[in-house]
Amino acid sequence: MNLLFLGDSITDCNHSFTPDNLGCGYVRMIYRQLSQAVPGLSAANKGIDGFTVTRVRTLWQGLPQKEQYDLVSLLVGVNDVGMWMDRDYSSHQLFRLCEAFAEEYEDLVTDFLDRGIPRVILMEPFIFQTPEKYLLWRPWLQKLSASIQKIARTYRLTFLPLQKILDQAAEDLGSASLTTDGIHLTVQGNRILTEKWLEAFPLPDL
């Protein structure tokens, strides 16, 4: 079984600097747990720091032998919103950018399906409430999440909700135990993502 993880720095987690190219985050944790039960399991971490949905789609289009993957897991969106927040866009422009994101995200997902990928997991992009500036990001990230969830329903794919789960964990444990800066995850934060990902794709289904 071949797994492919696509996304931004949360997925990347310095994968280029680890001998197996899996990184130090949830991708490695998922692989370690699944490899104990799945003979011949392989995983590719193609997350890249700073990637938006456009850049993920470009990377996917350039990958060789796409049909080899049995599962694609996708986590992207926070960098899109971050780029928008750095510019002086009007609300109307931001709504249009959200619509454009949804269109490109759907194009990416349908290409997975057109390539015959049998299983796709769409992970909800998330951001913490601290630093306070991220409170301005959250409404727009929620719009992206709603679009991703709609795409998952349309194509009968797995949608993995994360924002409420991480918000509750931050309330219970303190945000500093989960995130280093409001976006990137600590070891504990990555463990939560791993746990929820494995719940979405339990071993009996393998």
Side-chain angles (χ1 to χ4, degrees):
M1 170 168 281
N2 297 323
L3 312 181
L4 174 64
F5 295 84
L6 296 173
D8 50 38
S9 57
I10 300 168
T11 300
D12 179 350
C13 211
N14 294 316
H15 81 267
S16 295
F17 301 98
T18 56
D20 55 11
N21 288 318
L22 292 179
C24 305
Y26 75 91
V27 175
R28 173 184 289 279
M29 294 178 182
I30 288 169
Y31 176 78
R32 281 184 171 178
Q33 292 202 40
L34 289 182
S35 62
Q36 297 175 14
V38 184
L41 182 73
S42 68
N45 184 342
K46 298 295 183 181
I48 303 292
D49 184 16
F51 263 26
T52 60
V53 68
T54 298
R55 297 181 73 182
V56 171
R57 187 180 176 203
T58 299
L59 183 148
W60 164 254
Q61 290 172 338
L63 288 180
Q65 299 179 320
K66 299 178 182 66
E67 294 80 5
Q68 69 177 301
Y69 297 109
D70 302 294
L71 179 147
V72 174
S73 178
L74 176 62
L75 173 58
V76 70
V78 70
N79 286 320
D80 293 82
V81 173
M83 289 176 60
W84 306 341
M85 295 295 100
D86 286 341
R87 294 170 172 81
D88 190 23
Y89 287 129
S90 67
S91 293
H92 175 72
Q93 288 173 312
L94 289 169
F95 275 109
R96 290 293 302 143
L97 287 166
C98 288
E99 291 174 351
F101 173 95
E103 291 170 3
E104 189 148 25
Y105 193 104
E106 184 170 10
D107 286 345
L108 176 58
V109 168
T110 55
D111 198 44
F112 296 157
L113 301 177
D114 289 345
R115 298 283 181 172
I117 307 299
R119 187 72 184 267
V120 177
I121 295 180
L122 305 181
M123 302 174 71
E124 180 182 28
F126 55 85
I127 197 163
F128 291 85
Q129 297 188 54
T130 55
E132 288 188 0
K133 69 174 185 177
Y134 292 145
L135 294 175
L136 299 175
W137 296 28
R138 285 170 71 102
W140 303 105
L141 201 60
Q142 287 167 2
K143 291 185 181 300
L144 301 194
S145 297
S147 296
I148 294 169
Q149 190 167 7
K150 181 179 179 182
I151 291 167
R153 286 197 304 268
T154 299
Y155 296 98
R156 298 182 180 180
L157 304 176
T158 300
F159 174 76
L160 181 55
L162 293 170
Q163 186 67 73
K164 289 183 179 179
I165 290 166
L166 290 170
D167 284 345
Q168 185 61 57
E171 183 176 336
D172 294 341
L173 305 172
S175 60
S177 68
L178 303 178
T179 179
T180 58
D181 56 7
I183 295 176
H184 301 97
L185 297 172
T186 63
V187 171
Q188 180 63 34
N190 276 296
R191 283 177 182 151
I192 291 173
L193 255 65
T194 299
E195 175 186 342
K196 297 305 173 184
W197 195 98
L198 290 171
E199 286 177 3
F201 190 51
L203 289 174
D205 290 344
L206 292 172

